[in-house]
Amino acid sequence: MYYLPSLNDAEGASSWLPWLGLCAAGLALYGALWPKNRPTYPPGPKPLPFVGNIPQLPIVRPWLRFTEWGKQYGDIVHITAFGYHIVILNSVSAINDILDKRSRIFSDRPRLRFMSFLNGDLFIPMMPYGDTWRKHRGLLHQKFRAGELSIFRTMEFAQAHEMVKRFMTKPDDFFVHVKNYTGSVTMHVAYGYRPSEGRDHILEKADEVTHFFTDNLIKATIMEIFPALHRILEWLPGTGYKEWAFQVRKMLDEVLDLPFKFVENEISKGAAQPSFTSDQLDKVGGLKGDELKDSHKWIKEVAGNIYIAGTDTMYAALLSFIQSMVLHQDAQKKAQIEIDRVIGHERLPEFSDRESLPYVEALYRELLRYRPVTPLGVPHAGTEGTFYSEYYLPEKVVVLPNVWAMTRDERVYSNPDKFLPERFLTSEGKLNNDNIPLTYGFGRRACVGRPLAEDTLWIAIVLTLATCDIAKKTDKNGQLVDVQDLFPDNLISTPLPFECSIKPRSAAKKKLMETVDVNIS
Ligand code: HEM
């Protein structure tokens, strides 16, 4: 048996000396091997060795658990997964400090191997921060600057008018009508293409690709966390992974080609509508050979982004609007009273009325707060290590803006689980300064389609409120059909199917809708 020597006897003291020497040497070695300023990461749940916080990561609605962690650990929470560093931002001030003020560092995206495997860094929201991203985003930005969008307003009004008329004639199919509306607007902006009323070949193909992206982002992120699995799947015979990627790439090429050819054809007939693609083709008209081929490639890719990034996000927001109106009748009534007072009963609201309808505007803002379209935003990534206060954020850290937590932050929004458009109004009934930018993202990667989305959503909302009543449906036994606000766990939060009643507010409103002369060219 071995006893520790006592410091009280001389023999004992001398036998301590080698111990002390050993400890001193050990500490010196520790100091040399371990970085002098060992980084302190932001607080967070304790990770396990190697796997990190993987076992604590919730599969269902992760933003809810992240919001709880925010209450426990603070506005910035750090977790790891197989050596990857992830920080979750739970407040507007943390977002401002990191994603806005340091946007030079935090404007990259986590690399998703499956994107490069598909031979396609073509989806702007997922592109690495760099020259290609800058060029592609710049082209959309030019097109979507608020002042440039007025040329699309007549078309948006006409499409929204068409959608509301369909609500009146076939109310049970409102999911289809909304999808047709958002798809028609983005197709028109991208290609000047007007999808046919029933099933549209190009729209269906484009939809398949959109779902591919939104449904597979989660899987792609898992691939990212398990790179070995990615490599195994890539080479393992029989997994079908390579064939699958090949098929998807083929589908993608077809979706980018079909509407592009439509525009070329329209241009040759002299019948092309103003659109992103026709404008760009006009600009590169003088090029030849490889230069022309190359420019056609990026025009196709950038145009595809308008449909892929714009259609389902706006679809989700408008379905949330319909659902919120079923569940919050008082807000619907107040908006209708305002519209009737300002617009009267002889005409329909137009874009030029927007500033005169603060309650409708507040309702639109509350909708995006109450039901954020992307509750976890879109992940950003850092390109170099940096400190945030005393905490170290390493290079390549993945940053998750927890939009859900920010919309539920009681320091900013009292009674956050209540649908209250009034929170965006001053006591004089004017709009306050909170124009809910959270929903559209942050820093240099903030949504480039925001001005287009704001127009498209607003005109649809105001025309619906002006002319229709949305309420619970009554079943054949005379019972009200319950509506639960249920959402899936996807990147985009689209309400799960629900039923409701959409009826013209009066015979006069129905007549007004039918008689207004709208021209969708
Ligand atoms: C309700 C409608 C919409 C919502 C809620 C929305 C939301 C977002 C969000 C959260 C991001 C990521 C921002 C970030 O990284 O911090 C984003 C990026 C983007 N959005 Fe939207 N969006 C909408 C409509 C549109 C539309 C109509 C377009 C049409 C062009 C569009 C095009 C894009 C593009 C291209 C990006 C990528 C920007 C980049 O990475 O640089 N979005 N959007």
Side-chain angles (χ1 to χ4, degrees):
M1 198 175 283
Y2 179 77
Y3 293 98
L4 276 179
S6 157
L7 273 178
N8 292 332
D9 62 69
E11 199 191 335
S14 64
S15 59
W16 262 99
L17 288 176
W19 268 95
L20 287 176
L22 204 64
C23 289
L27 281 173
L29 189 68
Y30 175 85
L33 293 180
W34 210 251
K36 287 263 173 326
N37 299 317
R38 187 171 172 253
T40 307
Y41 298 117
K46 204 164 186 288
L48 294 173
F50 184 60
V51 292
N53 299 96
I54 294 263
Q56 293 135 298
L57 283 180
I59 296 169
V60 177
R61 296 187 174 196
W63 49 90
L64 297 182
R65 171 81 54 88
F66 294 166
T67 305
E68 287 307 311
W69 284 347
K71 287 183 188 149
Q72 204 176 337
Y73 300 106
D75 290 348
I76 167 160
V77 175
H78 173 259
I79 54 173
T80 62
F82 290 107
Y84 283 76
H85 293 271
I86 300 167
V87 296
I88 301 153
L89 305 181
N90 287 311
S91 76
V92 174
S93 63
I95 290 274
N96 283 343
D97 287 346
I98 293 174
L99 295 185
D100 290 331
K101 290 190 190 143
R102 296 188 206 187
S103 59
R104 185 186 63 79
I105 299 177
F106 291 104
S107 292
D108 204 6
R109 298 288 192 202
R111 296 282 185 280
L112 294 181
R113 280 156 218 262
F114 97 131
M115 287 285 180
S116 48
F117 195 62
L118 285 175
N119 191 20
D121 262 341
L122 57 88
F123 189 37
I124 301 173
M126 291 295 128
M127 262 185 194
Y129 186 53
D131 288 343
T132 310
W133 166 78
R134 215 166 270 117
K135 176 178 170 186
H136 285 211
R137 183 182 164 101
L139 288 168
L140 285 186
H141 182 64
Q142 277 169 22
K143 191 83 202 153
F144 295 151
R145 276 189 301 230
E148 301 293 312
L149 282 174
S150 51
I151 56 162
F152 293 122
R153 286 194 171 158
T154 313
M155 174 276 294
E156 284 166 318
F157 180 88
Q159 299 283 10
H161 178 265
E162 188 67 35
M163 175 183 75
V164 177
K165 271 202 329 198
R166 289 178 190 167
F167 285 164
M168 290 179 172
T169 48
K170 285 190 175 175
D172 289 347
D173 293 341
F174 67 91
F175 269 73
V176 179
H177 307 325
V178 174
K179 188 53 172 280
N180 203 291
Y181 170 61
T182 59
S184 298
V185 169
T186 53
M187 277 287 167
H188 204 112
V189 171
Y191 309 106
Y193 175 74
R194 189 181 167 205
S196 38
E197 196 181 322
R199 296 183 60 173
D200 184 89
H201 177 55
I202 295 186
L203 216 56
E204 278 181 1
K205 290 253 170 234
D207 222 25
E208 263 180 66
V209 170
T210 309
H211 285 157
F212 162 77
F213 276 111
T214 47
D215 296 350
N216 283 294
L217 263 173
I218 307 284
K219 287 178 210 145
T221 312
I222 293 170
M223 290 291 187
E224 196 58 34
I225 294 173
F226 299 96
L229 177 65
H230 178 89
R231 274 192 287 276
I232 292 166
L233 287 175
E234 197 172 319
W235 295 112
L236 211 63
T239 57
Y241 186 60
K242 269 196 141 171
E243 292 74 26
W244 169 79
F246 176 74
Q247 287 303 329
V248 173
R249 179 72 228 186
K250 228 175 94 188
M251 189 167 93
L252 205 56
D253 285 340
E254 203 182 341
V255 164
L256 298 180
D257 270 346
L258 273 174
F260 182 84
K261 291 208 172 102
F262 163 82
V263 183
E264 283 188 315
N265 203 18
E266 292 293 286
I267 291 176
S268 69
K269 290 191 292 187
Q273 293 292 318
S275 71
F276 173 82
T277 305
S278 62
D279 280 6
Q280 296 301 329
L281 281 175
D282 200 31
K283 285 185 188 149
V284 303
L287 300 179
K288 292 208 161 40
D290 281 352
E291 270 189 325
L292 185 66
K293 222 168 123 192
D294 188 46
S295 56
H296 281 190
K297 179 177 172 296
W298 59 251
I299 292 173
K300 277 184 208 173
E301 291 181 353
V302 179
N305 273 275
I306 301 174
Y307 184 87
I308 296 174
T311 307
D312 276 9
T313 42
M314 296 196 293
Y315 173 64
L318 284 179
L319 288 177
S320 288
F321 158 69
I322 294 178
Q323 193 179 68
S324 300
M325 293 304 93
V326 179
L327 295 171
H328 306 285
Q329 293 283 305
D330 49 335
Q332 182 180 181
K333 286 281 159 297
K334 284 183 189 169
Q336 288 172 330
I337 290 169
E338 178 179 76
I339 295 169
D340 292 348
R341 181 172 45 77
V342 175
I343 312 291
H345 297 277
E346 308 301 316
R347 68 174 181 94
L348 293 172
E350 294 165 7
F351 278 107
S352 54
D353 297 313
R354 190 162 182 167
E355 282 185 15
S356 322
L357 297 168
Y359 191 87
V360 175
E361 189 69 31
L363 186 146
Y364 159 75
R365 293 181 187 183
E366 176 66 344
L367 174 74
L368 295 183
R369 182 204 67 86
Y370 186 71
R371 281 286 165 247
V373 174
T374 51
L376 258 192
V378 176
H380 288 227
T383 43
E384 57 186 72
T386 183
F387 279 90
Y388 172 64
S389 156
E390 74 268 34
Y391 301 127
Y392 185 63
L393 308 179
E395 190 191 349
K396 295 191 184 160
V397 62
V398 173
V399 182
L400 298 179
N402 188 1
V403 174
W404 180 264
M406 288 177 255
T407 62
R408 262 61 196 165
D409 189 338
E410 296 192 30
R411 293 168 293 185
V412 184
Y413 302 112
S414 55
N415 293 322
D417 291 325
K418 284 208 162 133
F419 187 88
L420 277 180
E422 287 78 1
R423 67 175 84 246
F424 291 97
L425 296 171
T426 63
S427 50
E428 292 90 48
K430 296 203 164 76
L431 285 164
N432 63 23
N433 291 333
D434 183 355
N435 70 349
I436 197 80
L438 310 170
T439 316
Y440 289 104
F442 312 98
R444 295 182 193 181
R445 302 300 295 239
C447 178
V448 70
R450 177 174 180 171
L452 176 71
E454 299 223 311
D455 276 1
T456 310
L457 297 180
W458 185 83
I459 196 69
I461 288 172
V462 78
L463 278 182
T464 308
L465 288 170
T467 57
C468 296
D469 278 328
I470 304 174
K472 284 190 179 167
K473 197 175 172 167
T474 312
D475 67 16
K476 45 183 183 302
N477 303 320
Q479 300 293 315
L480 289 177
V481 179
D482 206 21
V483 171
Q484 312 234 330
D485 52 351
L486 293 177
F487 293 79
D489 294 306
N490 294 348
L491 176 82
I492 297 177
S493 219
T494 315
L496 291 171
F498 63 93
E499 290 181 295
C500 71
S501 144
I502 308 183
K503 288 184 183 150
R505 285 178 64 200
S506 64
K509 296 278 181 194
K510 187 162 188 273
K511 191 143 188 260
L512 183 63
M513 280 304 281
E514 286 162 358
T515 48
V516 164
D517 184 21
V518 182
N519 169 30
I520 310 182
S521 45

